[in-house]
Coordinates of all heavy atoms in Angstrom, one line a residue:
M1 N 15.3 25.8 -47.9 CA 14.0 25.8 -47.2 C 13.8 24.5 -46.4 O 13.5 24.4 -45.3 CB 12.8 25.8 -48.2 CG 11.5 25.9 -47.4 SD 11.2 27.4 -46.5 CE 9.7 27.0 -45.7
F2 N 14.2 23.4 -47.1 CA 14.1 22.0 -46.5 C 15.3 21.9 -45.5 O 15.1 21.2 -44.4 CB 14.4 21.0 -47.6 CG 14.4 19.7 -47.0 CD1 13.2 19.0 -46.8 CD2 15.6 18.9 -46.8 CE1 13.1 17.8 -46.2 CE2 15.4 17.5 -46.2 CZ 14.2 17.0 -46.0
A3 N 16.5 22.5 -45.6 CA 17.4 22.5 -44.6 C 17.0 23.2 -43.3 O 17.2 22.8 -42.1 CB 18.7 23.1 -45.1
L4 N 16.3 24.3 -43.5 CA 15.7 25.1 -42.3 C 14.7 24.2 -41.5 O 14.9 24.2 -40.3 CB 15.1 26.4 -42.8 CG 14.9 27.4 -41.7 CD1 16.1 27.8 -41.0 CD2 14.1 28.5 -42.3
L5 N 13.9 23.5 -42.3 CA 12.9 22.7 -41.5 C 13.7 21.6 -40.7 O 13.3 21.2 -39.7 CB 11.9 22.1 -42.6 CG 10.9 23.1 -43.2 CD1 10.0 22.5 -44.2 CD2 10.0 23.6 -42.0
F6 N 14.6 21.0 -41.4 CA 15.4 19.9 -40.8 C 16.2 20.5 -39.5 O 16.2 19.8 -38.5 CB 16.4 19.3 -41.9 CG 17.1 18.1 -41.2 CD1 16.6 16.9 -41.1 CD2 18.4 18.4 -40.8 CE1 17.3 15.7 -40.7 CE2 19.1 17.3 -40.2 CZ 18.5 16.0 -40.1
K7 N 16.6 21.7 -39.5 CA 17.4 22.3 -38.5 C 16.3 22.5 -37.2 O 16.6 22.2 -36.2 CB 18.0 23.5 -38.9 CG 19.1 24.0 -37.9 CD 19.8 25.3 -38.4 CE 20.9 25.8 -37.5 NZ 21.7 26.8 -38.0
A8 N 15.2 23.0 -37.6 CA 14.2 23.3 -36.6 C 13.8 21.9 -36.1 O 13.6 22.0 -34.8 CB 13.0 23.9 -37.3
F9 N 13.5 21.0 -36.9 CA 13.2 19.7 -36.2 C 14.2 19.1 -35.3 O 13.9 18.4 -34.4 CB 12.8 18.7 -37.4 CG 12.5 17.4 -36.9 CD1 11.3 17.0 -36.4 CD2 13.5 16.2 -37.1 CE1 10.9 15.9 -36.0 CE2 13.1 14.9 -36.6 CZ 11.7 14.7 -36.2
A10 N 15.5 19.2 -35.7 CA 16.6 18.7 -34.9 C 16.6 19.5 -33.5 O 16.9 18.9 -32.5 CB 17.9 19.0 -35.7
I11 N 16.3 20.8 -33.6 CA 16.4 21.6 -32.4 C 15.2 21.1 -31.4 O 15.3 20.8 -30.2 CB 16.1 23.0 -32.6 CG1 17.5 23.6 -33.4 CG2 16.0 23.9 -31.4 CD1 17.4 25.0 -33.8
L12 N 14.0 20.9 -32.0 CA 12.9 20.5 -31.2 C 13.2 19.0 -30.7 O 12.8 18.7 -29.4 CB 11.5 20.4 -32.1 CG 11.1 21.9 -32.5 CD1 9.9 21.7 -33.4 CD2 10.7 22.6 -31.2
L13 N 13.8 18.3 -31.4 CA 14.0 16.9 -31.0 C 15.1 16.9 -29.8 O 14.9 16.3 -28.7 CB 14.6 16.1 -32.0 CG 14.8 14.5 -31.7 CD1 13.5 13.9 -31.5 CD2 15.6 13.9 -32.9
A14 N 16.0 17.8 -29.9 CA 17.1 17.9 -28.7 C 16.4 18.5 -27.6 O 16.7 18.1 -26.4 CB 18.2 18.9 -29.3
L15 N 15.5 19.4 -27.8 CA 14.8 20.0 -26.6 C 14.0 18.9 -25.9 O 13.8 18.8 -24.7 CB 14.0 21.2 -27.1 CG 14.7 22.5 -27.4 CD1 13.8 23.5 -27.9 CD2 15.5 23.1 -26.2
G16 N 13.4 18.2 -26.7 CA 12.4 17.0 -26.2 C 13.2 16.1 -25.5 O 12.8 15.7 -24.4
L17 N 14.3 15.6 -26.0 CA 15.2 14.6 -25.3 C 15.8 15.4 -24.0 O 15.8 14.6 -22.9 CB 16.4 14.2 -26.2 CG 16.0 13.3 -27.4 CD1 17.3 13.0 -28.2 CD2 15.4 12.1 -26.8
A18 N 16.3 16.5 -24.0 CA 16.6 17.3 -22.7 C 15.5 17.3 -21.7 O 15.7 17.0 -20.5 CB 17.1 18.6 -23.2
Y19 N 14.2 17.6 -22.2 CA 13.2 17.7 -21.3 C 12.9 16.4 -20.6 O 12.7 16.2 -19.4 CB 11.9 18.2 -22.1 CG 10.6 18.2 -21.3 CD1 10.5 19.1 -20.2 CD2 9.7 17.1 -21.4 CE1 9.2 19.0 -19.4 CE2 8.5 17.1 -20.7 CZ 8.3 18.2 -19.7 OH 7.2 18.1 -18.8
V20 N 12.9 15.3 -21.5 CA 12.7 14.0 -20.8 C 13.7 13.6 -19.9 O 13.5 13.0 -18.9 CB 12.5 13.0 -22.1 CG1 12.6 11.6 -21.5 CG2 11.3 13.2 -22.8
S21 N 15.0 13.9 -20.2 CA 16.0 13.4 -19.3 C 16.0 14.3 -18.0 O 16.2 13.6 -16.9 CB 17.4 13.7 -20.0 OG 17.6 15.1 -20.3
I22 N 15.7 15.6 -18.1 CA 15.6 16.3 -17.0 C 14.4 15.9 -15.9 O 14.3 15.7 -14.8 CB 15.4 17.8 -17.2 CG1 16.8 18.3 -17.9 CG2 15.0 18.6 -16.0 CD1 16.6 19.7 -18.4
K23 N 13.3 15.6 -16.6 CA 12.1 15.1 -16.0 C 12.3 13.7 -15.3 O 11.9 13.6 -14.1 CB 11.0 15.0 -16.9 CG 9.6 14.7 -16.3 CD 8.5 14.7 -17.2 CE 7.3 14.5 -16.7 NZ 6.0 14.5 -17.6
R24 N 13.1 12.9 -16.0 CA 13.3 11.6 -15.4 C 14.2 11.8 -14.2 O 14.1 11.0 -13.4 CB 13.8 10.7 -16.5 CG 14.1 9.2 -16.1 CD 14.4 8.4 -17.3 NE 13.5 8.4 -18.2 CZ 13.7 7.9 -19.5 NH1 14.7 7.2 -19.8 NH2 12.7 7.8 -20.3
A25 N 15.3 12.7 -14.3 CA 16.3 12.8 -13.2 C 15.5 13.4 -12.0 O 15.8 13.0 -10.9 CB 17.3 13.8 -13.8
V26 N 14.6 14.3 -12.3 CA 13.8 14.9 -11.1 C 13.0 13.9 -10.5 O 12.8 13.8 -9.3 CB 13.0 16.1 -11.6 CG1 12.0 16.6 -10.5 CG2 14.0 17.3 -12.0
L27 N 12.3 13.1 -11.4 CA 11.3 12.1 -10.7 C 12.0 11.0 -10.1 O 11.6 10.5 -9.2 CB 10.3 11.6 -11.9 CG 9.3 12.6 -12.3 CD1 8.6 12.0 -13.5 CD2 8.4 13.1 -11.2
G28 N 13.2 10.6 -10.6 CA 14.0 9.6 -9.9 C 14.6 9.9 -8.7 O 14.8 9.1 -7.8
S29 N 14.8 11.2 -8.3 CA 15.4 11.6 -7.2 C 14.3 11.6 -5.9 O 14.5 11.5 -4.8 CB 16.1 12.9 -7.1 OG 15.0 14.0 -7.5
Q30 N 13.1 11.7 -6.4 CA 12.0 11.8 -5.4 C 11.4 10.3 -5.2 O 11.2 9.6 -6.1 CB 10.9 12.7 -5.9 CG 11.4 14.1 -6.0 CD 10.3 15.0 -6.3 OE1 9.2 14.6 -6.7 NE2 10.5 16.4 -6.4
P31 N 11.2 9.9 -3.9 CA 10.6 8.7 -3.8 C 9.0 8.7 -4.0 O 8.4 9.6 -3.8 CB 10.8 8.4 -2.2 CG 10.9 9.8 -1.6 CD 11.6 10.6 -2.8
K32 N 8.6 7.6 -4.7 CA 7.3 7.6 -5.2 C 6.4 7.2 -3.8 O 6.3 5.9 -3.6 CB 7.0 6.6 -6.3 CG 7.8 7.1 -7.5 CD 7.7 6.2 -8.6 CE 8.4 6.6 -10.1 NZ 8.3 5.7 -11.0
R33 N 5.8 8.1 -3.2 CA 5.2 7.7 -2.0 C 3.7 7.2 -2.4 O 3.1 6.4 -1.7 CB 5.0 8.9 -1.1 CG 6.3 9.4 -0.6 CD 6.1 10.5 0.4 NE 7.4 11.0 0.9 CZ 7.6 12.0 1.7 NH1 6.4 12.6 2.2 NH2 8.7 12.3 2.2
T34 N 3.2 7.6 -3.6 CA 1.7 7.3 -3.8 C 1.7 5.8 -4.4 O 0.8 5.1 -4.2 CB 1.3 8.2 -4.8 OG1 2.1 8.2 -5.9 CG2 1.0 9.7 -4.2
E35 N 2.7 5.4 -5.1 CA 2.8 4.1 -5.8 C 3.4 3.0 -4.7 O 3.3 1.9 -5.0 CB 3.5 4.1 -7.0 CG 2.9 5.1 -8.0 CD 3.6 5.1 -9.3 OE1 4.7 4.3 -9.5 OE2 3.2 5.7 -10.4
A36 N 4.0 3.4 -3.6 CA 4.7 2.6 -2.8 C 3.5 1.7 -2.0 O 2.7 2.4 -1.4 CB 5.5 3.1 -1.8
P37 N 3.5 0.4 -2.1 CA 2.5 -0.4 -1.4 C 2.8 -0.3 0.2 O 3.9 -0.4 0.7 CB 2.7 -1.7 -1.9 CG 4.1 -1.9 -2.4 CD 4.5 -0.5 -2.8
S38 N 1.8 0.0 0.9 CA 1.9 0.0 2.4 C 2.0 -1.4 2.8 O 1.4 -2.3 2.3 CB 0.6 0.8 2.9 OG -0.5 0.0 2.5
P39 N 2.7 -1.5 3.9 CA 2.8 -2.8 4.5 C 1.5 -3.2 5.0 O 0.8 -2.5 5.6 CB 3.8 -2.6 5.6 CG 3.8 -1.2 6.0 CD 3.5 -0.5 4.7
P40 N 1.2 -4.6 4.9 CA -0.2 -5.1 5.3 C -0.2 -5.0 6.8 O 0.6 -5.4 7.6 CB -0.1 -6.6 4.8 CG 1.3 -6.9 4.6 CD 2.0 -5.7 4.2
S41 N -1.4 -4.5 7.2 CA -1.5 -4.4 8.7 C -2.1 -5.8 9.3 O -2.7 -6.5 8.6 CB -2.6 -3.3 8.9 OG -3.8 -3.9 8.2
P42 N -1.4 -6.1 10.3 CA -1.8 -7.4 10.9 C -3.2 -7.4 11.4 O -3.9 -6.3 11.7 CB -0.9 -7.4 12.3 CG -0.6 -6.1 12.5 CD -0.5 -5.2 11.2
K43 N -3.7 -8.6 11.4 CA -5.1 -8.8 11.7 C -5.4 -8.5 13.1 O -4.6 -9.1 14.1 CB -5.6 -10.2 11.4 CG -5.5 -10.4 9.8 CD -6.0 -12.0 9.6 CE -6.0 -12.3 8.1 NZ -6.4 -13.7 7.8
P44 N -6.2 -7.7 13.6 CA -6.5 -7.3 15.0 C -6.9 -8.5 15.8 O -6.5 -8.5 17.0 CB -7.5 -6.2 15.0 CG -8.2 -6.5 13.6 CD -7.2 -7.1 12.8
T45 N -7.5 -9.6 15.2 CA -8.1 -10.6 16.0 C -6.9 -11.6 16.5 O -7.0 -12.3 17.4 CB -9.0 -11.4 15.3 OG1 -8.5 -11.9 14.0 CG2 -10.4 -10.6 15.0
E46 N -5.8 -11.6 15.6 CA -4.8 -12.5 15.9 C -3.6 -11.7 16.8 O -2.6 -12.4 17.2 CB -4.0 -12.9 14.7 CG -5.1 -13.8 13.9 CD -4.3 -14.3 12.5 OE1 -3.2 -13.7 12.4 OE2 -4.9 -15.0 11.8
T47 N -3.6 -10.4 17.0 CA -2.7 -9.7 17.8 C -3.0 -9.6 19.3 O -2.3 -9.2 20.1 CB -2.4 -8.3 17.2 OG1 -3.8 -7.7 17.2 CG2 -2.0 -8.3 15.9
I48 N -4.3 -10.0 19.5 CA -4.8 -9.9 20.9 C -4.2 -11.1 21.6 O -4.9 -12.4 21.4 CB -6.3 -9.9 21.0 CG1 -6.8 -8.6 20.3 CG2 -6.8 -9.7 22.4 CD1 -8.2 -8.5 20.2
E49 N -3.2 -11.1 22.4 CA -2.7 -12.3 23.0 C -2.4 -11.9 24.5 O -1.2 -12.0 25.0 CB -1.4 -12.7 22.2 CG -1.7 -13.4 21.0 CD -2.4 -14.7 21.2 OE1 -2.4 -15.2 22.3 OE2 -3.0 -15.1 20.2
A50 N -3.4 -11.4 25.2 CA -3.2 -11.0 26.6 C -3.2 -12.2 27.4 O -3.7 -13.2 27.1 CB -4.2 -9.9 27.1
D51 N -2.6 -12.1 28.6 CA -2.6 -13.2 29.6 C -4.0 -13.5 30.2 O -4.2 -14.7 30.5 CB -1.6 -12.9 30.6 CG -0.2 -12.7 30.2 OD1 0.1 -13.3 29.2 OD2 0.7 -12.0 30.8
D52 N -4.9 -12.5 30.3 CA -6.1 -12.8 30.9 C -7.2 -13.0 29.9 O -8.3 -13.0 30.2 CB -6.4 -11.6 31.9 CG -6.5 -10.2 31.0 OD1 -5.9 -10.3 29.9 OD2 -7.1 -9.3 31.5
L53 N -6.9 -13.3 28.7 CA -7.8 -13.6 27.5 C -7.5 -14.9 27.0 O -6.4 -15.3 26.9 CB -7.7 -12.5 26.5 CG -8.2 -11.0 26.8 CD1 -8.1 -10.2 25.5 CD2 -9.7 -11.2 27.3
V54 N -8.7 -15.7 26.9 CA -8.5 -17.0 26.3 C -9.4 -17.0 25.0 O -10.4 -16.3 24.9 CB -9.0 -18.0 27.3 CG1 -8.0 -18.2 28.4 CG2 -10.3 -17.9 27.8
R55 N -9.1 -17.8 24.1 CA -9.8 -17.9 22.9 C -10.9 -19.1 22.9 O -10.5 -20.1 23.4 CB -8.9 -18.1 21.7 CG -9.6 -17.9 20.3 CD -8.5 -18.0 19.3 NE -9.1 -18.0 18.0 CZ -8.6 -17.9 16.8 NH1 -7.4 -18.0 16.7 NH2 -9.2 -17.7 15.7
C56 N -12.2 -18.6 22.5 CA -13.0 -19.7 22.6 C -12.9 -20.7 21.5 O -12.6 -20.4 20.3 CB -14.5 -19.1 22.4 SG -15.9 -20.1 22.3
P57 N -12.8 -21.9 21.8 CA -12.6 -23.0 20.7 C -13.7 -23.2 19.8 O -13.5 -23.8 18.7 CB -12.3 -24.3 21.5 CG -13.0 -24.1 22.8 CD -13.0 -22.5 23.1
S58 N -14.9 -22.7 20.1 CA -16.0 -23.0 19.3 C -16.3 -21.9 18.3 O -16.4 -22.1 17.2 CB -17.3 -23.0 20.3 OG -17.2 -24.1 21.1
C59 N -16.2 -20.6 18.8 CA -16.5 -19.4 17.8 C -15.1 -18.6 17.6 O -15.2 -17.8 16.6 CB -17.5 -18.6 18.4 SG -17.1 -17.7 20.0
G60 N -14.1 -18.9 18.2 CA -12.9 -18.1 18.0 C -12.8 -16.6 18.6 O -11.8 -16.0 18.3
T61 N -13.6 -16.3 19.3 CA -13.5 -14.9 19.9 C -12.8 -15.0 21.2 O -12.7 -16.1 21.8 CB -15.1 -14.3 20.2 OG1 -15.7 -15.2 20.9 CG2 -15.8 -14.1 18.9
Y62 N -12.4 -13.8 21.6 CA -11.6 -13.9 22.8 C -12.5 -13.4 24.0 O -13.2 -12.5 23.9 CB -10.3 -13.0 22.7 CG -9.3 -13.5 22.0 CD1 -9.3 -13.3 20.5 CD2 -8.1 -14.3 22.4 CE1 -8.3 -13.8 19.8 CE2 -7.2 -14.8 21.7 CZ -7.4 -14.5 20.4 OH -6.4 -15.0 19.6
R63 N -12.2 -14.0 25.2 CA -13.0 -13.7 26.4 C -12.1 -13.7 27.6 O -11.0 -14.3 27.5 CB -14.2 -14.8 26.5 CG -13.8 -16.2 26.9 CD -15.0 -17.0 27.2 NE -14.5 -18.2 27.5 CZ -14.2 -19.4 26.8 NH1 -14.3 -19.2 25.5 NH2 -13.9 -20.5 27.3
P64 N -12.4 -13.1 28.7 CA -11.7 -13.1 29.9 C -11.6 -14.5 30.4 O -12.5 -15.3 30.3 CB -12.4 -12.2 30.8 CG -13.2 -11.2 30.0 CD -13.7 -12.0 28.7
A65 N -10.4 -14.8 31.0 CA -10.1 -16.2 31.4 C -11.0 -16.5 32.7 O -11.3 -15.6 33.4 CB -8.7 -16.4 31.8
G66 N -11.7 -17.6 32.7 CA -12.5 -18.0 33.8 C -14.0 -17.7 33.6 O -14.8 -18.1 34.3
Q67 N -14.3 -17.0 32.5 CA -15.7 -16.7 32.1 C -16.2 -17.6 30.9 O -15.5 -17.9 30.1 CB -15.8 -15.2 31.8 CG -15.6 -14.2 33.1 CD -15.9 -12.8 32.7 OE1 -16.4 -12.5 31.7 NE2 -15.4 -12.0 33.6
S68 N -17.5 -17.9 30.9 CA -18.1 -18.5 29.8 C -18.1 -17.6 28.6 O -18.2 -16.3 28.7 CB -19.3 -19.2 30.2 OG -20.3 -18.2 30.5
C69 N -18.4 -18.2 27.4 CA -18.4 -17.5 26.3 C -19.7 -16.8 26.1 O -20.8 -17.2 26.6 CB -18.3 -18.3 25.0 SG -18.3 -17.4 23.4
S70 N -19.6 -15.5 25.8 CA -21.0 -14.7 25.7 C -21.2 -14.3 24.3 O -22.1 -13.4 24.1 CB -20.8 -13.4 26.6 OG -19.7 -12.7 26.1
T71 N -20.6 -15.0 23.3 CA -21.0 -14.6 22.1 C -22.3 -15.3 21.5 O -22.5 -16.5 21.8 CB -19.9 -15.1 21.1 OG1 -18.7 -14.5 21.4 CG2 -20.1 -14.9 19.6
P72 N -23.2 -14.4 21.0 CA -24.5 -15.0 20.6 C -24.4 -16.0 19.5 O -23.6 -15.8 18.5 CB -25.3 -13.8 20.1 CG -24.7 -12.7 20.8 CD -23.3 -12.9 20.9
G73 N -24.9 -17.2 19.6 CA -24.9 -18.3 18.6 C -23.8 -19.3 18.8 O -23.5 -20.1 18.0
C74 N -22.9 -18.8 19.9 CA -21.9 -19.9 20.0 C -22.2 -21.1 20.7 O -22.9 -21.0 21.7 CB -20.7 -19.2 21.0 SG -19.3 -20.2 21.3
P75 N -21.8 -22.4 20.3 CA -22.2 -23.6 20.8 C -21.6 -23.7 22.4 O -22.3 -24.5 23.1 CB -21.5 -24.7 20.0 CG -21.2 -24.0 18.7 CD -21.0 -22.5 19.0
A76 N -20.6 -23.0 22.6 CA -20.1 -23.1 24.0 C -20.7 -22.1 25.0 O -20.3 -22.2 26.2 CB -18.5 -22.9 24.0
R77 N -21.6 -21.4 24.5 CA -22.3 -20.5 25.4 C -23.4 -21.2 26.2 O -24.2 -21.9 25.7 CB -23.1 -19.3 24.6 CG -23.7 -18.2 25.5 CD -24.3 -17.3 24.6 NE -24.9 -16.3 25.3 CZ -25.9 -15.3 24.8 NH1 -26.2 -15.5 23.6 NH2 -26.3 -14.4 25.5
P78 N -23.2 -21.0 27.5 CA -24.3 -21.7 28.4 C -25.6 -21.1 28.3 O -25.6 -19.9 28.1 CB -23.7 -21.6 29.9 CG -22.9 -20.3 29.7 CD -22.2 -20.2 28.3
T79 N -26.6 -21.8 28.3 CA -27.9 -21.5 28.1 C -28.6 -21.2 29.4 O -28.3 -21.9 30.3 CB -28.8 -22.4 27.1 OG1 -28.7 -23.7 27.8 CG2 -28.2 -22.4 25.8
Ligands
LIG1 ZN1 -17.6 -18.9 21.9

């Protein structure tokens, strides 16, 4: 009786190890897309580097070259 229980336990243990190894092999072959960190997106305010845009030294916003700053509250804005 005891030998039969031990045999059944050994079979279950072997099946468990086989299941874990197969599952690990299947999961290892697939790329983890959900856990992969996405590359950080660049800040949109720093990517605007057009030739006809200048950055306001007072408030940091971009405005067309040759025009005064139109940002409300900016010290460089003409009143
Ligand atoms: Zn400004």
Side-chain angles (χ1 to χ4, degrees):
M1 187 61 188
F2 182 77
L4 188 63
L5 283 175
F6 183 78
K7 193 173 183 180
F9 178 75
I11 291 174
L12 287 176
L13 186 64
L15 286 176
L17 288 175
Y19 173 74
V20 169
S21 61
I22 291 173
K23 186 177 181 181
R24 189 172 298 174
V26 170
L27 290 178
S29 63
Q30 296 179 353
K32 298 179 180 180
R33 293 181 180 179
T34 57
E35 295 182 359
S38 61
S41 60
K43 297 179 181 180
T45 56
E46 294 180 357
T47 56
I48 302 174
E49 290 292 340
D51 293 335
D52 56 346
L53 288 179
V54 293
R55 187 173 183 177
C56 179
S58 299
C59 62
T61 58
Y62 288 88
R63 66 177 188 270
Q67 295 184 8
S68 59
C69 184
S70 61
T71 303
C74 179
R77 183 185 184 188
T79 55

